[in-house]
Amino acid sequence: MAAEDPQKSGGPNKLVIKNIGLLLSGDLSRPILEADTIVATNGRIAAIGRARDVDVGGATTMIDANGVALAPGLIDSHVHPVAGDWTPRQSQINWIDSYLHGGVTTMISAGEVHMPGRPRDVVGVKAMAIFAQRAFAAFRPNGVKIHGGAPVIETGMSEEDFRDLGEAGVKYLGEVGLGGVKDGPTARKMVAWARKYGIQSTIHTGGPSIPGSGLIDKDVVLEADTDVVGHINGGHTALPDEQIRCICEGCRRGLELVHNGNERAALYTLRTAKEMGQLDRIILGTDAPAGSGVQPLGILRMISMLSSLGEMPAEIAVCFATGNTARMRNLDCGLIEVGRAADFVFLDKAQHSAGNTLLDSIRLGDLAGVGMTIIDGIVRTQRSRNTPPATRVPVIVGH
Ligand SMILES: [Zn+2]
């Protein structure tokens, strides 16, 4: 841990961040805020404004942003954690801490599917989901929030099973289609049960990701009616464009674009959503760890890819990984708004980028440099060990 947890230290914790050069809100309707100062009290945003208009006295931590950009901490809508900061998929440890160095402060499990010996019987599926939910709620590598415990539906599950899971605190289903249920009618029935007990759902869209996984086409996706169309750009094998269009037009559910998917299909989905005036449906994930490995910079890479090749203003692309996801997933972070969690990433253009500004550099396809991350009002990392070096970085000027 980089710092003491204010909830445990007793006294009020007041974080003041001044000299913010560009404030990215995460809100599509107003992606840039006219403010240079943020105050957070006990891990929550308390004030946003110009320095002269905000009460900056009595700070327990003061940060000089040094003119760099501040955005909400990035959210990865699609990860496959297993236990702790370890993944057996590619035998890596500390992959979550590495993501934090890529600006990701919140992750949502799409199923703990890489668990060696993953149980497929109903009681085993439920037990593992509750275990993972509890374990990740209690263990946050360097503060990263992992919403784990995402059961993958199996044949034979009853309404009572979903009620049990909901009552036990399970909030998300793993990808429909990675278990025994691969048909539309059964999926639809279970997804509706899950929703009834407060559990959000997602689905594996497209061809098999690894041996043992299967094809889920547009008919199953539309019939299952999950809250999120998981990796609509495939994981990696994408559906044909006409099927992607059918899904976009056939429902109002979330359209998730992942790093470990087909990039052309991601751009096709983005263009379709833009034509429909529904960019609020676009959210981002990495779908890692997976066969393609672990991508600490995956969300930053998606932002730059969609902004540059998808001709999308960079400040809008940032919303796909922050406010859009927070709203769709009912998270208390992801937006620069009073009352939200004080989870931030400080970004500047990478050294020697051809872009004149951070936003310009992203539009040119370069990755932003991360200079600091904050979760719940606590500094977690300073200059990223993983991104290209930021030109300027914030500094802690006082405790
Ligand atoms: Zn998948």
Side-chain angles (χ1 to χ4, degrees):
M1 291 291 176
E4 204 177 350
D5 185 332
Q7 274 73 36
K8 287 177 186 158
S9 65
N13 174 295
K14 182 171 179 178
L15 168 72
V16 173
I17 304 167
K18 59 182 189 180
N19 293 331
I20 298 167
L22 173 70
L23 189 47
L24 300 170
S25 71
D27 182 353
L28 269 186
S29 66
R30 199 174 161 220
I32 296 176
L33 297 178
E34 290 299 319
D36 60 11
T37 304
I38 291 183
V39 176
T41 309
N42 293 333
R44 297 267 154 191
I45 300 173
I48 305 155
R50 292 279 165 201
R52 63 178 176 275
D53 303 323
V54 174
D55 174 16
V56 297
T60 44
T61 304
M62 173 79 80
I63 291 168
D64 182 343
N66 203 15
V68 308
L70 181 147
L74 306 178
I75 305 168
D76 188 332
S77 169
H78 193 133
V79 294
H80 290 295
V82 165
D85 200 353
W86 164 70
T87 171
R89 184 70 228 182
Q90 301 293 351
S91 300
Q92 281 183 255
I93 55 168
N94 295 334
W95 68 277
I96 295 169
D97 182 69
S98 229
Y99 267 57
L100 178 60
H101 280 261
V104 173
T105 55
T106 294
M107 298 178 161
I108 298 171
S109 175
E112 293 78 34
V113 291
H114 303 314
M115 172 67 82
R118 168 162 73 101
R120 304 295 184 110
D121 62 303
V122 174
V123 70
V125 165
K126 288 167 66 181
M128 194 179 89
I130 294 166
F131 155 74
Q133 187 277 330
R134 296 287 189 279
F136 283 113
F139 174 70
R140 289 172 40 182
N142 212 350
V144 177
K145 299 167 178 174
I146 303 141
H147 298 273
V152 173
I153 56 174
E154 296 286 354
T155 316
M157 290 180 80
S158 67
E159 178 171 348
E160 198 180 11
D161 293 320
F162 291 90
R163 192 190 64 204
D164 292 347
L165 287 165
E167 284 177 2
V170 168
K171 290 271 180 282
Y172 301 98
L173 283 192
E175 289 173 75
V176 171
L178 296 188
V181 177
K182 298 186 196 294
D183 67 290
T186 311
R188 185 183 187 85
K189 184 176 67 178
M190 293 188 182
V191 161
W193 283 335
R195 192 172 287 129
K196 181 175 173 184
Y197 296 106
I199 302 172
Q200 256 204 13
S201 50
T202 186
I203 190 163
H204 173 95
T205 308
S209 48
I210 50 174
S213 166
L215 166 71
I216 300 282
D217 66 8
K218 73 159 181 9
D219 295 325
V220 178
V221 169
L222 289 173
E223 183 156 24
D225 192 33
T226 50
D227 297 288
V228 172
V229 179
H231 58 59
I232 189 168
N233 62 321
H236 287 260
T237 313
L239 294 172
D241 288 356
E242 56 272 23
Q243 290 207 26
I244 291 177
R245 180 169 284 277
C246 271
I247 293 170
C248 293
E249 293 177 350
C251 70
R252 273 293 325 215
R253 302 297 186 188
L255 305 172
E256 186 188 73
L257 307 178
V258 299
H259 183 273
N260 286 350
N262 178 316
E263 287 159 316
R264 196 196 57 78
L267 291 164
Y268 179 79
T269 307
L270 180 68
R271 277 199 305 277
T272 304
K274 189 180 169 193
E275 276 169 36
M276 295 169 66
Q278 296 179 357
L279 286 177
D280 59 310
R281 293 171 65 190
I282 301 286
I283 62 173
L284 306 184
T286 54
D287 193 3
S292 284
V294 166
Q295 293 90 26
L297 306 185
I299 298 296
L300 288 174
R301 287 172 58 85
M302 287 298 287
I303 290 169
S304 290
M305 194 272 283
L306 296 173
S307 179
S308 56
L309 301 180
E311 298 180 345
M312 192 59 55
E315 65 272 26
I316 296 287
V318 167
C319 297
F320 302 155
T322 54
N324 277 11
T325 323
R327 286 191 173 127
M328 202 178 297
R329 303 300 214 147
N330 304 319
L331 302 171
D332 69 354
C333 54
L335 288 158
I336 303 300
E337 209 172 73
V338 170
R340 295 255 170 189
D343 297 353
F344 309 126
V345 56
F346 293 75
L347 305 168
D348 199 20
K349 71 168 184 166
Q351 291 173 15
H352 303 293
S353 168
N356 288 321
T357 63
L358 167 71
L359 297 180
D360 194 25
S361 74
I362 295 172
R363 264 310 274 268
L364 290 174
D366 282 340
L367 297 187
V370 170
M372 183 180 281
T373 60
I374 288 178
I375 302 176
D376 291 336
I378 300 169
V379 176
R380 306 292 176 161
T381 61
Q382 298 196 47
R383 186 189 283 283
S384 167
R385 66 172 184 260
N386 289 333
T387 65
T391 305
R392 298 165 297 175
V393 293
V395 286
I396 301 171
V397 291
H399 280 288

